[in-house]
Amino acid sequence: MKPAMAKLEFCVFFLLYLAINSNSANVDNIASELKFKNVDRTIDVTSQLVKIVSKITLENTGKSPVKNFLLAVEASAKNNLAYIGAKDSNSKDLRILETTVKGYDYVKFWRVELKEALDAGTSLYVVTEAVFTKALLPFPTAITQQEVQLVKYIGNLYAYTPYYVTSQKTVVNIKTKTVEAFTKVKPFSQQEGSIIYGPYPNTGPFTEKELSVHYKNNSPFLTVTRLERLIEVSHWGNIAIEEVVEVEHTGAKLKGPFSRYDYQQDHHSGPASVRSYKTLLPASASDVYYRDTNGNISTSNMKVKKDSVEVELRPRYPLFGGWRTHYTLGYNVPSYEYLFHSGNDYLLKMRVIDHIFDDMQVDEVVTKVILPEGSVVSKLLIPYPVTRLPDSLHFTYLDTKGRPVIKFVKNNVVENHIQDFQIRYTFPRLLMFQEPLLVVGFLFALFLLVIIYVRLDFSIHKPEHHHKD
């Protein structure tokens, strides 16, 4: 065999080996020796989000230590899942990775890696949290200005898990006395603001039974359909942030006419509408502006707190179901709080998104980071999966080559995604003087031209000199 052919064959087998191993790393098996000894679930449906917190006692009934376990989300809910996480008994985050299980393509799985292996015959306490968006359906879908908003939640009565569950209990928090209907599977009880199910003993893996609750929910059903976040970095001490926000009220649509007179006179009018909401900015934010296509919006208040700047945003008109608004919010922050450097190496550490309003849900976040001209990006670190868009250039005053723009997109965002991203890049510090030198050079050339123009005589006729007799 020729050396070239042997080398080519070796490369092919090596790439095939890497492909097989990379795929197998994302495939897990359901450990039969694991079981959930006890599960206490709390399903919070008091806002527009569905938040499920599960307190799990994990037991190893096998003969060897176990280093991880699986979480699962049923097919009917996996498209609404925005965030999932796990913590140990000390409230420290556990590493969680999306995975698959052969034969269960319709189920979404995550592998939770334990801090320490769970020995045979021992138990471990963990807490998991899952947040779902658009899992509450307005029912009816349209209401008048005076009516309250009723919504319906449809979920699973049991914890959906690939393991056997010895005992489980579920509490549904609704914080209202107005309950039209709910699933009744004994044992259950209804208290003020909550419905308690269980305990239910001995449920098998992947057990499903519909849980339905139809109740009053007048909390703000606001959805940010698109958020474009622009971060412009300057090495002269400032970082400018501007957000273009598109908001829609996704609750029950307004049926019939809208009366502004009734709305202003009666505070109980439009109970499901949104008059205003509060946005939280960094504590060092300054020069805040809030405007829409018509210009600056003056109906807003700003309050400086110890750890944040609270901005109450009040749109030009209240938002009812199906109504939309579009606005721009901008501010500046000092770069020394977010930009760190050693020589020509720089690290930018900022949030992917800020707090827009309580229990926010964002369909799409487009983040653009404009770095100084001459920067070369070496690494982009984001704490969760995003879609990286092609880099581009941004030109502004005195730019010659253009400023590099890093862009990435994240869909289905909630408050749990308010985390930091990092960009590492290099920037020759001498380039900081490029723009001042360009200004100085331009002014020097201008003054030189003025001097030349004044000193030289460009007239066609020579001036006549008169001599005295």
Side-chain angles (χ1 to χ4, degrees), residues 114-298:
L114 301 174
K115 298 284 187 181
E116 297 179 358
L118 180 61
D119 295 329
T122 60
S123 300
L124 182 68
Y125 177 81
V126 295
V127 178
T128 65
E129 180 183 10
V131 181
F132 299 84
T133 59
K134 301 181 180 179
L136 300 179
L137 304 176
F139 193 78
T141 58
I143 57 176
T144 63
Q145 183 176 332
Q146 303 297 331
E147 290 181 305
V148 298
Q149 179 174 259
L150 298 175
V151 301
K152 181 178 286 189
Y153 168 68
I154 299 177
N156 192 355
L157 182 64
Y158 304 110
Y160 192 78
T161 172
Y163 307 112
Y164 182 87
V165 182
T166 305
S167 177
Q168 62 178 296
K169 179 181 177 182
T170 298
V171 177
V172 182
N173 288 332
I174 53 179
K175 289 187 179 179
T176 180
K177 296 180 180 179
T178 307
V179 181
E180 301 293 314
F182 64 93
T183 298
K184 299 178 181 180
V185 177
K186 295 182 179 180
F188 72 91
S189 62
Q190 183 179 7
Q191 298 180 359
E192 185 176 352
S194 63
I195 305 171
I196 303 172
Y197 292 96
Y200 298 118
N202 304 326
T203 52
F206 302 109
T207 302
E208 289 189 76
K209 186 175 182 61
E210 184 179 287
L211 167 64
S212 177
V213 183
H214 187 202
Y215 64 103
K216 181 182 77 172
N217 187 342
N218 283 328
S219 61
F221 271 57
L222 288 182
T223 299
V224 178
T225 56
R226 178 181 169 86
L227 169 64
E228 187 170 315
R229 181 173 167 89
L230 180 65
I231 302 172
E232 186 170 358
V233 181
S234 171
H235 286 179
W236 292 97
N238 184 71
I239 298 177
I241 301 173
E242 183 175 88
E243 298 179 343
V244 180
V245 188
E246 299 176 7
V247 181
E248 180 182 0
H249 192 304
T250 52
K253 297 184 181 300
L254 179 63
K255 180 174 63 176
F258 165 66
S259 173
R260 181 171 289 275
Y261 176 80
D262 293 339
Y263 190 80
Q264 292 177 341
Q265 295 296 319
D266 185 5
H267 289 287
H268 297 288
S269 178
S273 65
V274 178
R275 301 172 187 263
S276 64
Y277 52 86
K278 294 178 180 179
T279 291
L280 299 182
L281 305 180
S284 57
S286 61
D287 305 322
V288 181
Y289 57 90
Y290 170 47
R291 61 171 182 260
D292 60 7
T293 53
N294 295 330
N296 186 56
I297 304 175
S298 59

Side-chain angles (χ1 to χ4, degrees), residues 372-390:
E373 187 179 26
S375 301
V376 178
V377 177
S378 58
K379 187 178 292 185
L380 171 63
L381 298 175
I382 304 176
Y384 37 75
V386 298
T387 302
R388 178 81 179 267
L389 299 178

Side-chain angles (χ1 to χ4, degrees), residues 47-61:
S47 66
Q48 65 174 341
L49 303 175
V50 175
K51 305 175 184 177
I52 302 179
V53 176
S54 301
K55 300 177 181 178
I56 302 171
T57 303
L58 181 66
E59 185 177 14
N60 183 2
T61 60

